[in-house]
Amino acid sequence: MPQRDSVSWTTLISGYSHNGLPAHSIQTFTSMLREFEFHNGQTQDKFDPFSFTCVMKACGCLGCTPFALQLHSLVVKLRLGAHISIQNALVDMYIKCGAIGFAESVFFGIEEPSLFCWNSMIYGYSRLYGAYKALDLFSRMPEHDSVSWNTLISVFSQHGLGVKCLFLFLEMCDRGFNPIFMTYGSVLSACASIGDLEWGAHLHARILRVEHGLDAYLGSGLIDMYAKCGRLELARRVFDCLEERNEVSWTCLITGVAQFGLEEDALALFNQMRQASVVLDDVTLATVLGVCSEQNHAAIGELLHGYTIKSGMDSYVPVGNAIITMYSKFGDFEKAYLAFRLMPLRDTISWTAMITAFSQNGDISRARECFDLMPERNVITWNSMLSTYVQHGLSEEGLKLYVLMRRRGVEPDWISLATSIRACADLAVVKLGMQILSHAIKFALISDVSVANSIVTMYSRCGQIKEAQKVFDSIYVKNLISWNAMMAAYAQNGLGKKVIETFEDMLKTECKPDHISYISVLSGCSHMGLVVEGKHYFKSMTKVFGISPTNEHFVCIVDMLGRAGMLDEAKEVIDEMPFKPNATVWGALLGACRIHHESHLAETALKNLVELNPEDSGNYVLLANIYAESGELEGVANMRKLMKVKGIRKSPGCSWIEVDNTVHVFTVDDTNHPQIKEIYIKLEEMMKKIEHTGRYISSVSSPHRSQKYHSEKLAFAFGLLSLPSWMPLYVMKNLRVCHDCHSVIKLLSFVTSRELIMRDGFRFHHFKDGVCSCKDYW
């Protein structure tokens, strides 16, 4: 063109923007600026505001915040900000760039925002502050239109707030606003999320009455809704009635079929879809790859992976993510990593999937390396790495990660809190757990049932059973995990009758127990010597609820019978087990043999234990102790000789106590603690007081020469030195407490008039006034 004015330029800028070429639109706009050679706003009249609105739309499509800020500065410089179209475009551009804060500052700077601006900000607020903040803004609008209502309904649907979404839909209809097809899609999705079949069927009838038919979009929504509500036959009927089926309707049906575990049917539908010449998109391929994640469909999955490479669709992020997940479930982690490395683009789901894959393979260092290399993280990614640490027993590392997460300003969700509190439970660090509990209160997640369940477990594993009970009682709607957590708490703390009471209360609520419930019940019966009750529940487990006993249940029964002195019956239970007993079952029998000084049966138990786990030093040590307590010193010598020949070393026992936010660890005959001299003096002082009671009979002899300074005694002595007299002392030990230490600590609680709580490798012991909660039955 020999001459180009603002209209010419604007037309070209608009053309590129409307035809999905935002980068070309921006380049053309930049060229226009250079040609006009404006200075200090002297050529303001040369610019058409429409060119700015077009380029702002293009900028929003690219999500480029730095360029958005430059455009905004230019608008201010040229004094074009008073134009309503410019104001609308600025708000819309910032929202699409994800710069909601800038959109908010522009919006509140407008004297009378247009309805378009209000509607844009509803969506923006939902992204920045959540659905209810968007609802608050909606309530402040001077007027609403159908776009306002539809935007708000869509927001609540996308945030998974299905019930509120349905109420808003009803209110919209009552106010006289007509829903559009996208509204129906949002409400159907809400029905699917809450499994409300009745409401979904009502919407189906309304759509047929008002819309006089189903298109592919609404049909897909109905298929998805019926499938997620568990009515696959109705989903299939809607699909069969559709005159037009697109890739979305096929994908919804395939997904629905797959979620019922019907992988073969899902793959058959996929083959029909291809015969129907429906164009495959990335969502469909990702869905079918997910179906192929089962090991028996590995060959089909690899063929489909080959198809994605051939068609170039492996470059689509959802497809690449599905390939990573598929190979991870196959257990082929190297192929998963190769697929990850070949992805041209990755999102947070890609990185999170790879972290999960490394975690499943037990490769924690590579999972952390992957996490550290991520360009961007969200709370789901942090949770993935946090769960990796805790699930693999690295709770301390998990808590360090949680602290780092909070320092980076990431707001935790219920998964973050529940996982971190679980880590505190594993480490028995109640103070840190209470700090995380305060975060749950701050972020209004304290009432979340999963968070509450984890708090119950944390308190119980730290010996604070009363606090665990309070939290349990505060849970408004208890699920099976809640009941199991409380029963486990009572069982660990030796309150067998409370376990049974809680179990019976659970049954009254019609909450069906699982195998974990019965482990707690049987464990509680074992620790309290409730043999009759234990036998009753063991039988009812199978007869009433059809739960087949596992090794864990047999461990409880063998332990219960063995503690009660019914060693022959315990051995009969092992002999009659429907499957081969594991090392824990034989270990329970060996432990019972120690209580009752039965060395002959202990030898049988050890023989089986050595076959199953020859490297476990605890079994050899336990039999050596049985010989020692029975006075069979030759047996002790033989055990030590055998351990020496096999190169087996005794696992070092240690105890720890938390004082002034520091965990102090002690070992037998410890000499490393900076206050060790004062600790030994304090222990000797306490031992004299205990001996003066006349209730202590020392069992310290040659085979037990180190019992006098066992780690738990040193830990309690340090606690008496360091903590105020009104404060209960909590000590943790990695191995089972010996008889001498149990007697000493029991009497220590009497002479100091203090509550002493110890968790050993098996259970909690609450010592008070010279009595232990285990009633000397452990």
Side-chain angles (χ1 to χ4, degrees), residues 118-359:
W118 280 102
N119 291 338
S120 296
M121 282 308 297
I122 290 172
Y123 174 69
Y125 260 40
S126 73
R127 291 183 62 185
L128 184 62
Y129 301 118
Y132 282 98
K133 195 71 174 179
L135 178 61
D136 180 60
L137 187 68
F138 175 85
S139 65
R140 290 156 53 192
M141 290 177 68
E143 60 175 325
H144 304 120
D145 62 2
S146 59
V147 176
S148 315
W149 282 101
N150 290 325
T151 301
L152 191 65
I153 288 169
S154 175
V155 162
F156 273 84
S157 179
Q158 290 170 8
H159 280 75
L161 301 167
V163 175
K164 185 64 178 177
C165 179
L166 294 177
F167 277 118
L168 288 171
F169 175 75
L170 285 174
E171 188 177 353
M172 181 189 78
C173 295
D174 288 342
R175 297 287 178 89
F177 292 96
N178 293 321
I180 60 175
F181 70 100
M182 291 188 69
T183 318
Y184 286 121
S186 296
V187 181
L188 284 170
S189 178
C191 292
S193 69
I194 61 176
D196 196 327
L197 180 63
E198 186 177 351
W199 245 102
H202 168 75
L203 280 170
H204 188 178
R206 180 187 176 114
I207 291 167
L208 292 177
R209 186 176 68 252
V210 177
E211 304 297 331
H212 307 293
L214 288 177
D215 60 7
Y217 176 82
L218 290 177
S220 300
L222 285 167
I223 292 166
D224 181 62
M225 182 274 297
Y226 280 126
K228 287 181 178 174
C229 289
R231 297 300 300 273
L232 189 57
E233 75 283 3
L234 293 178
R236 186 60 192 253
R237 191 183 301 175
V238 172
F239 178 82
D240 292 339
C241 290
L242 289 178
E243 294 182 6
E244 179 189 353
R245 300 169 188 148
N246 60 12
E247 66 278 5
V248 179
S249 48
W250 279 98
T251 302
C252 286
L253 185 61
I254 291 170
T255 304
V257 170
Q259 77 180 16
F260 282 89
L262 305 171
E263 290 88 4
E264 298 289 346
D265 292 347
L267 291 173
L269 279 170
F270 175 65
N271 287 329
Q272 291 176 35
M273 177 184 175
R274 295 193 64 189
Q275 287 161 8
S277 301
V278 178
V279 176
L280 297 178
D281 64 3
D282 55 334
V283 178
T284 309
L285 275 173
T287 301
V288 180
L289 284 164
V291 173
C292 294
S293 294
E294 296 297 326
Q295 188 67 48
N296 54 332
H297 299 306
I300 299 174
E302 294 198 63
L303 286 172
L304 199 56
H305 182 195
Y307 170 80
T308 65
I309 296 171
K310 186 177 179 180
S311 62
M313 295 190 76
D314 61 326
S315 61
Y316 286 74
V317 174
V319 175
N321 294 344
I323 291 169
I324 294 169
T325 303
M326 179 184 74
Y327 281 122
S328 298
K329 289 186 176 179
F330 291 167
D332 197 334
F333 301 103
E334 290 308 317
K335 280 188 179 178
Y337 187 49
L338 179 62
F340 174 79
R341 287 193 292 117
L342 293 176
M343 290 178 72
L345 291 172
R346 306 182 187 110
D347 60 7
T348 51
I349 297 174
S350 319
W351 289 90
T352 305
M354 204 60 241
I355 291 169
T356 304
F358 284 135
S359 174

